[in-house]
Amino acid sequence: MEPQQVLLLNKQCKYCPNCELIIAKKQEIEALMVVGFGQENPEIMGNNYLVMGTIERQDWKQGNQGSLSNREIIERMYIFKDQWDFEVIPAGWYPNDELPEKKK
């Protein structure tokens, strides 16, 4: 999270073993970010952020205890190869090659 903040979340996500896809909802991640930074550093809420990858549980524990630096955490992290964004399309019948307009 800008400016150069690392937040380790203890978040369970859905996983698709066929495509090796880890699925997390943006709203759930942002709610945990508010809990993590809301008290100590509320001015950075709303800044840009990047979900980078996963980390072993023992490394997560050490990171939360302050035993690991941000650099060590990133070195031990399993970085995601790609990021996909999905949007919910309202149910209904649509003419061929037509989808409802995205709400802004």
Side-chain angles (χ1 to χ4, degrees):
M1 177 178 266
E2 290 182 5
Q4 298 183 3
Q5 299 287 318
V6 174
L7 175 65
L8 298 176
L9 300 177
N10 185 18
K11 169 116 179 66
Q12 289 184 343
C13 298
K14 294 180 181 177
Y15 176 70
C16 176
N18 293 331
C19 57
E20 297 182 343
L21 184 67
I22 296 174
I23 304 164
K25 292 184 179 180
K26 180 179 180 179
Q27 298 89 336
E28 293 173 358
I29 291 171
E30 290 177 351
L32 291 171
M33 290 167 53
V34 168
V35 172
F37 284 124
Q39 296 287 342
E40 297 175 17
N41 209 352
E43 64 275 1
I44 67 170
M45 295 312 304
N47 289 357
N48 292 329
Y49 65 91
L50 173 67
V51 178
M52 294 179 58
T54 62
I55 194 167
E56 296 287 342
R57 187 145 186 85
Q58 67 184 23
D59 294 334
W60 171 80
K61 288 180 182 179
Q62 289 178 353
N64 276 344
Q65 294 169 351
S67 302
L68 296 176
S69 68
N70 288 349
R71 183 183 191 108
E72 290 173 311
I73 291 168
I74 293 171
E75 287 173 356
R76 296 180 184 193
M77 189 179 296
Y78 299 101
I79 305 293
F80 292 141
K81 294 179 186 177
D82 199 1
Q83 174 187 335
W84 295 359
D85 292 325
F86 294 94
E87 294 184 29
V88 176
I89 298 173
W93 293 97
Y94 300 102
N96 289 341
D97 300 329
E98 260 188 54
L99 294 176
E101 288 191 33
K102 297 177 184 177
K103 294 182 181 179
K104 295 182 180 184

